[in-house]
Amino acid sequence: MTEFRGAWSEEEIESFLHETTIPIRIATRRSDGSLWPVTVWYRYRDGYFECATQARADLVAILRNDPGVGFDVSTNDVPYRGIRGSGVATVSRDGGRDVLRELVQRYLGGTESSLARYLLSDDRDEVRIRIDPREIYSWDYTERMRGV
């Protein structure tokens, strides 16, 4: 069960995550113990994040070795606001291409661009990453940055 804390209610957090097309930043731990941040597209539904990446990506190996993650979805423009938290990631071959197709629609607005066609090409072996959040902390600097 996810613990929600911070400036927003659970419903406000869900609205932010559905409306915002900022990639999620995931902090992982490599096998040598060093930290490794990765930025990927996400969708949020039913209380968890889903991402897609190539099966041979370093991120997949890292998560299979250590599924614990930290994450951040926050705006890059004033006023700064967003969420951060921690959770557990699961990598699965099931549904990777379907998740990727929805992410391409979400972030690129369709499947007709050359980038969309490349990402959806048959020769790519996609996996699904599911992140089950343990805690989500929301923050919003709208008031303090009002005059900026």
Side-chain angles (χ1 to χ4, degrees):
M1 173 168 259
T2 304
E3 176 186 353
F4 293 92
R5 298 181 298 119
W8 299 331
S9 68
E10 182 177 348
E11 293 76 25
E12 290 170 315
I13 290 170
E14 288 182 6
S15 290
F16 172 78
L17 293 172
H18 289 295
E19 295 167 5
T20 304
T21 53
I22 300 166
I24 189 170
R25 298 163 189 105
I26 303 171
T28 62
R29 188 171 303 279
R30 295 188 283 196
S31 60
D32 68 1
S34 62
L35 298 174
W36 189 251
V38 178
T39 303
V40 293
W41 292 341
Y42 77 92
R43 68 181 182 185
Y44 185 80
R45 61 200 267 175
D46 300 326
Y48 59 88
F49 296 92
E50 281 187 310
C51 311
T53 193
Q54 287 193 297
R56 62 182 169 79
D58 290 343
L59 177 60
V60 173
I62 291 168
L63 291 175
R64 285 191 169 138
N65 185 57
D66 183 349
V69 297
F71 55 83
D72 173 270
V73 179
S74 57
T75 60
N76 295 316
D77 298 315
V78 173
Y80 302 126
R81 59 197 179 100
I83 63 101
R84 61 180 167 254
S86 63
V88 176
T90 305
V91 177
S92 171
R93 289 200 169 272
D94 296 333
R97 292 191 61 77
D98 294 333
V99 171
L100 179 60
R101 179 170 293 284
E102 286 193 34
L103 294 174
V104 166
Q105 291 278 4
R106 173 175 159 83
Y107 285 86
L108 300 180
T111 59
E112 300 308 314
S113 70
S114 59
L115 176 57
R117 287 191 299 275
Y118 166 74
L119 292 172
L120 297 171
S121 64
D122 289 337
D123 61 338
R124 291 177 53 95
D125 184 15
E126 295 293 320
V127 295
R128 178 176 64 100
I129 299 169
R130 174 180 166 148
I131 300 172
D132 290 293
R134 297 298 184 239
E135 61 179 332
I136 294 179
Y137 177 83
S138 58
W139 51 277
D140 189 338
Y141 297 160
T142 301
E143 286 302 314
R144 79 167 72 162
M145 299 184 90
R146 188 161 303 283
V148 176

